Structure formats: C-alpha cells, structure tokens
Amino acid sequence: MSIEDAVRIIGERRPGFMPRVALLLGSGLGQVAERIEDPTRISYADLPGFPVPTVAGHAGSLILGRLAGVDLLCLNGRVHAYEGGDGAARLKVLVRTVKQLGVEALVLTNAAGSLRTEVGPGSLVLIRDHINMLGFNPLQGPNDEAWGPRFFSMRDAYDPALAARFRRAAVATGIALAEGVYLAYPGPNFETPAEIRAFRGLGADLVGMSTVPEVVVARHCGLALAALSAVTNLAEGMGDGMLSHHETLSQGARIAQSLETLILGFLESLKHGL
Ligand code: HPA
C-alpha cells in the first residue's frame, strides 16, 4: 500500500491536475458528484491501498473535475470502523494521498442522527468539535514522523477559517446551517436509547459512525478540514419509528439538494483564493 503509487496513478489518469479541494461524500450524499464537470473517474479498487467500501450507498470512486469553477477531487464513499479488516490503514492512505496531492481544504460530509429536537431530519450542521467513542484511533501503532508528530493537539481540528467560509456560504445561499459536536459511535447497530441519553450528558449534538478517523489522520498531517452532517433522523429514543439504514439513505437523498447548494456556495467563495 503506497501513497506514491496512488498519487502516480491519479497523475497518469489526469496529467497536471492540481485539485485545491477534496470533498468526501457520506451515506446517501453522492448526488453532488453528478454535477462535477469534465470528470475523470477512478475506482478505489484501481488505487493501491485505497479502501473499498462494503456498504450500500457508498460508491467507492474518486472523481477529478471542476465544480463551481474550482478544481476538485471528490471521494465518493468511505469505510467505517465497523467494516473491520485493514480499514484504518486504508483510511490513512486515502487521507494522506489527498495531502500529497497538495489539496488546501478537505471537506467531509456524513449522515448523522440529531440529539436536538429543534435540529430535525433535513437539517445541515457544521461540525465544531467531536467526541471519539469509537474505542480505536487510526494512528495507533508506530508513528510515521514523515507525516506528523506522535502527539498533537486537536484544538481547532475543524479549521476556523473554513468554518467561517461555510457560515458565509450558508447566509449567501439561504441555507439554514446549525452547528454542533459530533460523537462517533462504532456501530454497526444504532445506539441504544440509554446511550443517547448518556451522550447528551457528554455534550453531543450529533451521532454517527464515521468522520472522526478521517479528521484525526488529516489533523496529524496538517490538512485543513471542515465537516458537515446531514441529519437523517432524530437519535434513537427521540423519534417515533425505529432507525434503519434505508431511512438514512432515503433521508440523505432528500437533504442532498441543500447540501449541494451549500457546497457550491462554499466553492464559489474559493474562486479568489483561500
Ligand atoms: N446513529 C448513528 N449513525 C447514524 C445515525 C444515527 O442515528 N443516523 C445516520 N447515521
């Protein structure tokens, strides 16, 4: 698994292309990828060491192209802690490949449950900070000093300048954008109602099964990032129905339109430099 191989293959498929932004699309949020102009698609399976997602709603392809006039690399699909295997090693390859390509900003998206009744299904939330309840860290094991130090601060892991840009884009496009703390849960089961009550006490506004490992690896190697949650449901015990992956995907598709508008607004703001 070599980052150099992935970088070389991407370079061969699209010579001279220098993406400025990388956009990772979460469960059911792949729609914006359809808007990319002049796309070059590369399957994760063709990139050594890249994670091949096993979950419905995750395509597993990398797309190079332009969106709102900005050269962009779109990561359509991710792996999750519950998929097991060598997912953590592959996640490092994916994030570090993005860094190696010279990307200035990584934008992560996910589907999440909300712990706040006033931030219901259909809402978009800018992640301010996180709580890692996964029980693992993708950087466990020997540290590769070439990428970053053994110990590092997580203050402002969600880049304040990129967050400010998203707030401005939300105002400019008329999209309501809440803000909150995301708690990562290992899954694959949804949380119990008792866990949700406990997580509220811990300060969580959102719960999901992803994003935190990518944030940790990106922060370690100094890649600036922002993250957005699309709320697909109220967290377990707060709403009427039982949670299901089907609900995540169908609600995700509903929110994809406003997510797309917000992302386009954000990219517009980058046209004149970061
Ligand atoms: N919990 C965990 N992950 C999720 C949820 C949830 O309620 N909704 C979408 N992804």
Side-chain angles (χ1 to χ4, degrees):
M1 302 210 231
S2 134
I3 288 138
E4 286 68 35
D5 287 341
V7 169
R8 179 178 47 75
I9 292 167
I10 293 167
E12 283 167 5
R13 294 287 295 271
R14 186 98 176 210
F17 188 73
M18 302 267 286
R20 295 181 54 207
V21 175
L23 174 64
L24 192 153
L25 300 174
S27 297
L29 302 173
Q31 175 186 308
V32 64
E34 307 301 320
R35 291 283 302 271
I36 296 173
E37 294 152 30
D38 190 18
T40 303
R41 281 175 219 280
I42 308 173
S43 167
Y44 284 2
D46 294 335
L47 294 167
F50 261 57
V52 180
T54 61
V55 185
H58 284 266
S61 61
L62 181 153
I63 305 158
L64 306 167
R66 276 174 93 72
L67 198 56
V70 175
D71 284 344
L72 158 126
L73 179 160
C74 178
L75 299 155
N76 198 0
R78 60 149 60 89
V79 284
H80 303 80
Y82 57 76
E83 290 174 74
D86 57 358
R90 290 175 178 270
L91 178 104
K92 282 195 281 191
V93 172
L94 180 134
V95 173
R96 290 173 177 175
T97 298
V98 168
K99 168 78 178 173
Q100 192 70 21
L101 288 167
V103 161
E104 297 161 45
L106 170 64
V107 177
L108 303 166
T109 66
N110 62 45
S114 170
L115 280 77
R116 289 187 2 218
T117 41
E118 74 279 16
V119 182
S123 306
L124 286 175
V125 186
L126 183 65
I127 300 179
R128 253 191 294 114
D129 201 350
H130 74 227
I131 300 172
N132 183 359
M133 293 292 273
L134 292 173
F136 97 104
N137 187 303
L139 297 177
Q140 277 161 2
N143 184 50
D144 187 344
E145 291 284 330
W147 289 104
R150 170 83 292 185
F151 302 106
F152 56 101
S153 168
M154 288 296 282
R155 184 191 291 198
D156 291 340
Y158 297 82
D159 187 77
L162 292 178
R165 238 174 231 285
F166 267 107
R167 285 185 204 109
R168 287 196 294 272
V171 171
T173 54
I175 303 269
L177 184 61
E179 299 195 17
V181 172
Y182 177 91
L183 182 143
Y185 183 78
N189 59 283
F190 290 106
E191 304 73 25
T192 65
E195 285 168 337
I196 292 299
R197 287 193 295 276
F199 294 161
R200 183 174 301 112
L202 291 178
D205 302 301
L206 300 158
V207 65
M209 302 177 193
S210 68
T211 306
V212 163
E214 289 95 332
V215 171
V216 168
V217 177
R219 180 69 170 159
H220 180 244
C221 68
L223 183 55
L225 68 99
L228 297 165
S229 282
V231 174
T232 54
N233 55 279
L234 288 176
E236 191 60 276
M238 295 175 62
D240 298 331
M242 288 232 279
L243 301 185
S244 69
H245 188 54
H246 173 75
E247 184 188 21
T248 301
L249 294 184
S250 61
Q251 287 291 337
R254 242 170 41 99
I255 311 167
Q257 187 55 52
S258 43
L259 181 68
E260 179 177 317
T261 306
L262 181 62
I263 288 171
L264 290 176
F266 169 78
L267 293 172
E268 288 280 343
S269 82
L270 293 181
K271 269 190 191 157
H272 308 294
L274 206 64

